[in-house]
């Protein structure tokens, strides 16, 4: 397994490189966005660990550029900001997962193992499930020819569901990926926003795509 670590802080880069090599990975370091794009285009990596705030182009733009060039290597984005806008921005750019600094090294290694177990998949810019289309770049949602207006949180929730059509996502998963780790409210917020989504993307079109899986969570049904 070969990993590219894109980090401009020398101490962090050294720590990540050494830790990953101890796990048996082959690791290449890069310190700028320009170097990162070149390395990813020229080399077949199994994983890219990409800091968001690197010398231009930043991590978001690096991710966007490599996806535009049909490079589908899994990307774990590191960010010093815990706010949802940066996380959504990273996912919109094509990142597969994110981790907020400071982080536990064991968690980063676990996420790296999880991502390297996956087969790289083509991930188009717009997500499509049936006649429901979500475009992260323009932040638009359509059902057929009809445009649907969503709040930022509704958009983020639908985005997470559409990234994994047919997969049951637990309330804790949705809170982690839509409301972030700092959220300390109850899990019923997911139920509330699922109801909002159904009222906008399903019921007006006589659809039932957002399914409740009793005791487990929610699933976006691609065949509904």
């Amino acid at each position: 397994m070969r990993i590219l670590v894109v980090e401009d802080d020398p101490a962090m880069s050294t720590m990540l490189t050494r830790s990953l090599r101890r796990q048996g990975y082959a690791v290449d370091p890069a310190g700028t966005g320009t170097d990162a794009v070149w390395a990813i285009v020229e080399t077949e990596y199994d994983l890219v660990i990409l800091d968001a705030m690197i010398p231009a182009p930043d991590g978001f733009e690096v991710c966007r550029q490599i996806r535009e060039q049909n490079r589908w290597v899994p990307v774990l984005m590191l960010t010093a900001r815990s706010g949802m806008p940066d996380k959504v921005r990273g996912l919109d750019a094509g990142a597969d997962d994110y981790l907020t600094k400071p982080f536990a090294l064991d968690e980063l290694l676990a996420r790296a193992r999880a991502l390297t177990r996956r087969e790289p998949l083509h991930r188009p810019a717009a997500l499509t499930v049936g006649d429901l289309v979500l475009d992260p770049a323009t932040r638009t949602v359509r059902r057929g020819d009809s445009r649907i207006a969503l709040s930022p949180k509704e958009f983020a929730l639908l985005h997470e569901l559409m990234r994994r059509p047919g997969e049951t996502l637990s309330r804790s998963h949705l809170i982690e990926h839509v409301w972030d780790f700092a959220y300390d409210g109850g899990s019923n917020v997911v139920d509330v926003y699922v109801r909002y989504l159904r009222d906008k993307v399903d019921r007006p079109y006589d659809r039932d795509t957002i399914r409740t899986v009793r005791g487990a969570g929610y699933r976006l049904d691609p065949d509904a």
Side-chain angles (χ1 to χ4, degrees):
M1 292 286 183
R2 190 170 183 180
I3 296 177
L4 178 68
V5 171
V6 187
E7 171 61 68
D8 64 319
D9 179 81
M12 177 66 73
S13 178
T14 298
M15 184 275 290
L16 290 174
T17 299
R18 288 177 176 173
S19 299
L20 289 164
R21 284 174 177 166
R22 289 192 198 101
Q23 300 297 312
Y25 297 108
V27 184
D28 297 328
T32 69
T34 300
D35 290 344
V37 172
W38 179 88
I40 295 166
V41 170
E42 295 297 323
T43 307
E44 291 291 331
Y45 286 104
D46 298 288
L47 175 67
V48 175
I49 298 177
L50 176 63
D51 185 60
M53 297 294 106
I54 53 175
D58 65 16
F60 303 109
E61 184 60 25
V62 167
C63 200
R64 187 174 294 108
Q65 287 185 24
I66 65 171
R67 296 314 188 208
E68 288 175 352
Q69 297 185 56
N70 293 319
R71 296 300 191 270
W72 305 110
V73 55
V75 172
L76 172 59
M77 186 167 285
L78 307 179
T79 175
R81 302 173 182 174
S82 60
M84 181 52 57
D86 271 1
K87 293 177 180 178
V88 172
R89 185 182 173 196
L91 294 174
D92 285 350
D96 296 88
D97 199 0
Y98 57 81
L99 195 57
T100 303
K101 295 179 179 180
F103 52 81
L105 180 60
D106 285 346
E107 182 178 4
L108 180 139
L109 294 174
R111 288 176 185 254
R113 288 192 296 271
L115 288 172
T116 54
R117 284 197 296 267
R118 302 178 188 174
E119 288 293 326
L121 299 174
H122 179 270
R123 291 176 292 279
L127 303 179
T128 302
V129 179
D131 64 347
L132 186 63
V133 179
L134 180 148
D135 188 333
T138 60
R139 301 194 66 78
T140 56
V141 176
R142 293 183 179 276
R143 171 76 81 180
D145 295 328
S146 301
R147 184 164 176 170
I148 302 171
L150 298 180
S151 72
K153 197 64 71 178
E154 292 165 352
F155 185 94
L157 178 58
L158 182 62
H159 185 276
E160 187 63 26
L161 290 167
M162 290 185 69
R163 288 180 72 233
R164 297 173 170 84
E167 182 179 341
T168 299
L169 304 181
S170 68
R171 289 171 176 81
S172 61
H173 172 98
L174 292 170
I175 287 174
E176 175 182 333
H177 287 265
V178 179
W179 278 266
D180 77 41
F181 291 109
Y183 177 76
D184 60 1
S187 62
N188 67 317
V189 70
V190 177
D191 304 326
V192 171
Y193 273 85
V194 166
R195 186 168 68 249
Y196 292 162
L197 275 182
R198 284 171 170 159
D199 287 342
K200 293 183 177 182
V201 305
D202 273 355
R203 292 193 176 99
Y205 306 94
D206 194 27
R207 303 297 175 85
D208 184 22
T209 55
I210 302 174
R211 301 290 184 88
T212 300
V213 181
R214 190 176 297 276
Y218 293 98
R219 181 183 74 244
L220 189 70
D221 189 346
D223 299 320

